[in-house]
């Protein structure tokens, strides 16, 4: 953002540019100092015609030209050919002709207008200044360049309001320097507040980033910028959008408001929220209000939703960490999660779900007081369910396979549960099914009975969400009921709660 200082210097230069012309609008008389030939102008009354090395003086400003008409009673001066205005040996202005009307206080400079001081120079076809309004402008293109470096500004129109200490560059404004380039419709400078205002579509091209905005203001003294009406910030492998953005150049801290989107193509990850706070170098992100993270991959996309998400990127180790809080939902094609908070660190590849988390894997629901699951290669691999662990698989709307215990471990392959290890106080209830063919030739499953098994430790193996076989570490207590003889109170284990209504709705569709 250092280029804004350069623009302010240009604004100060323009104030000096119009200032010498403004001096001609003072009430002090204009004095003809020298001319090789001085005579009355033919056809004009009270008019002096000066020819050859003409020199006028007004206060501290000097006017030189090849010839001039000085209408003394009308307070009007026409200067022609090689017109040169000098102020204090620092400001020099050149043009082909100059017209100054002392009554209307309007100065008009035409033809090859050139203005320069020790640092900047301006070239345009015509320049006009209204002394009574303290307003100067050009309307037919101008080029402002720096003598000391590569700074260059061009625009079709330029205005200066001395009373308001405001500058406007309008229509095809282009600013370029050694490390930046800017294109916009309108730039406004408020020198009294040292602020730069953008009006209309603006593109700023820096060495390692590009900014696109529609409207905004830059506070030069604080190195602070505010952009609104939709703003984009493009950096190497990163793009940031928000309806409005604020950024502090000194601290490299920024904030985005409403419809914020940050995409990192290196890690193929996207952040979205209605509020985003970023630290220096984007190492730390805080997302609030409809916070979302999308971790894209060829296999699947991991989606994290929450009221707020804290994300930290350890660039030295190329590892990330996130903490999601309040109304957390996590989605993959075969996996959905609800919990109050979630914590993940790539350092140990474990996602920790707290406060009564619920996980849905196809037709199976897993719940516990807390769940820790390994996650790498964009897949869930092993889930540990701590305290009040409960697994439910829906057979139909009336019959559910159930597993209960103090501690469970579910093992997954390709996102599907393959094995469950109940390590303490195991209780199981599952239905025996038989496959048949209906009248249309479709294969259907018929429930023939229910098994109720209690054992301290059990291994259960699954195939296509159905129990395939069971291994008991100790002697179990088992009971089998034909489906029509199951006692009314034995269809559910204590603590059964089917919460399919809380299952997160897919964002991209099933």
């Amino acid at each position: 953002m250092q280029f804004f200082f350069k623009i302010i210097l240009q604004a100060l230069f323009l104030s000096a540019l119009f200032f010498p012309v403004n001096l001609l609008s003072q009430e002090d008389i204009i004095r003809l100092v020298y001319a090789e030939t001085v005579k009355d102008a033919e056809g004009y009354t009270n008019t002096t015609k000066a020819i050859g090395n003409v020199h006028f003086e007004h206060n501290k400003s000097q006017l030189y030209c090849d010839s001039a008409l000085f209408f003394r009673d009308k307070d009007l001066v026409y200067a022609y050919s090689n017109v040169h205005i000098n102020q204090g040996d620092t400001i020099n202005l050149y043009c082909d002709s100059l017209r100054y009307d002392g009554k209307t206080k309007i100065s008009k400079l035409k033809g090859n207008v050139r203005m320069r001081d020790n640092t900047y120079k301006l070239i345009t076809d015509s320049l006009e200044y209204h002394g009574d309004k303290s307003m100067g402008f050009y309307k037919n293109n101008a080029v402002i360049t720096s003598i000391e470096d590569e700074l260059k500004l061009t625009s079709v129109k330029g205005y200066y309001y001395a009373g308001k200490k405001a500058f406007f560059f309008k229509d095809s404004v282009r600013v370029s320097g050694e490390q930046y380039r800017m294109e916009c419709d309108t730039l406004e400078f408020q020198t009294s507040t040292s602020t730069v205002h953008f009006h209309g579509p603006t593109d700023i091209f820096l060495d390692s980033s590009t900014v696109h905005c529609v409207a905004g203001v830059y506070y030069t003294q604080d190195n602070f910028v505010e952009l609104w009406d939709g703003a984009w910030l493009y950096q190497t492998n990163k793009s940031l959008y928000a309806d409005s953005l604020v950024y502090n150049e000194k601290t490299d801290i920024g904030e985005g408001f409403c419809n914020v989107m940050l995409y990192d193509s290196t890690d193929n990850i996207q952040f979205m929220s209605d509020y985003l706070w970023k630290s220096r170098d984007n190492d730390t992100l805080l997302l609030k209000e409809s916070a979302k993270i999308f971790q894209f991959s060829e296999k699947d996309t991991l989606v994290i939703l929450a009221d707020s998400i804290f994300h930290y990127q350890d660039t030295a180790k190329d590892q990330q960490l996130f903490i999601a809080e309040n109304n957390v939902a996590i989605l993959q094609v075969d996996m959905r999660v609800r919990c109050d908070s979630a914590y993940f660190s790539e350092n140990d590849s474990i996602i920790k779900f707290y406060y009564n988390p619920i996980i849905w894997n196809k037709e199976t629901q897993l719940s516990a007081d807390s769940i820790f699951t390994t996650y790498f290669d964009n897949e869930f691999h092993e889930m540990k369910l701590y305290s009040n662990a409960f697994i439910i698989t829906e057979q139909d709307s009336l019959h559910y396979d159930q597993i209960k215990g103090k501690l469970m471990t579910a093992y997954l392959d390709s996102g599907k549960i393959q094995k469950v290890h109940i390590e303490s106080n195991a209780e199981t209830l599952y239905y025996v099914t038989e496959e048949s063919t209906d009248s249309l030739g479709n294969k259907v499953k018929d429930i023939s009975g229910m098994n109720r098994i209690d054992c301290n430790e059990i291994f259960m193996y699954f195939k296509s969400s159905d129990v395939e076989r069971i291994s008991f570490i100790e002697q179990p207590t088992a009971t089998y009921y034909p489906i029509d003889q199951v006692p009314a109170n034995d269809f559910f284990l204590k603590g059964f709660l089917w919460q399919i209504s809380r299952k997160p709705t897919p964002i991209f569709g099933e």
Side-chain angles (χ1 to χ4, degrees), residues 182-193:
M182 180 165 60
E183 301 176 357
C184 59
D185 179 74
T186 303
L187 279 182
E188 175 188 351
F189 303 97
Q190 297 285 350
T191 58
S192 60
T193 57

Side-chain angles (χ1 to χ4, degrees), residues 42-107:
E42 295 181 4
Y44 301 98
T45 58
N46 297 317
T47 303
T48 298
K49 183 175 184 179
I51 304 173
N53 295 316
V54 179
H55 177 193
F56 284 96
E57 183 178 64
H58 184 255
N59 287 337
K60 296 180 180 180
S61 294
Q62 311 296 321
L63 169 63
Y64 304 93
C65 58
D66 288 348
S67 62
L69 290 176
F70 182 17
F71 298 85
R72 299 184 301 275
D73 57 342
K74 296 181 180 180
D75 200 15
L76 182 65
V77 175
Y78 283 87
Y80 302 98
S81 186
N82 296 314
V83 179
H84 174 201
I85 296 176
N86 170 262
Q87 183 192 24
D89 296 325
T90 57
I91 302 296
N92 291 278
L93 188 149
Y94 306 88
C95 61
D96 291 342
S97 64
L98 165 70
R99 180 187 187 277
Y100 172 67
D101 189 326
K103 292 182 179 180
T104 62
K105 297 180 176 60
I106 297 176
S107 304

Side-chain angles (χ1 to χ4, degrees), residues 267-270 293-297 300-303 320 378:
D267 296 320
N268 207 14
I269 187 171
Q270 179 172 297
I293 296 180
F294 298 87
Q295 180 67 70
F296 301 100
S297 72
D300 200 352
T301 297
L302 177 68
V303 181
Q320 61 176 316
N378 301 105

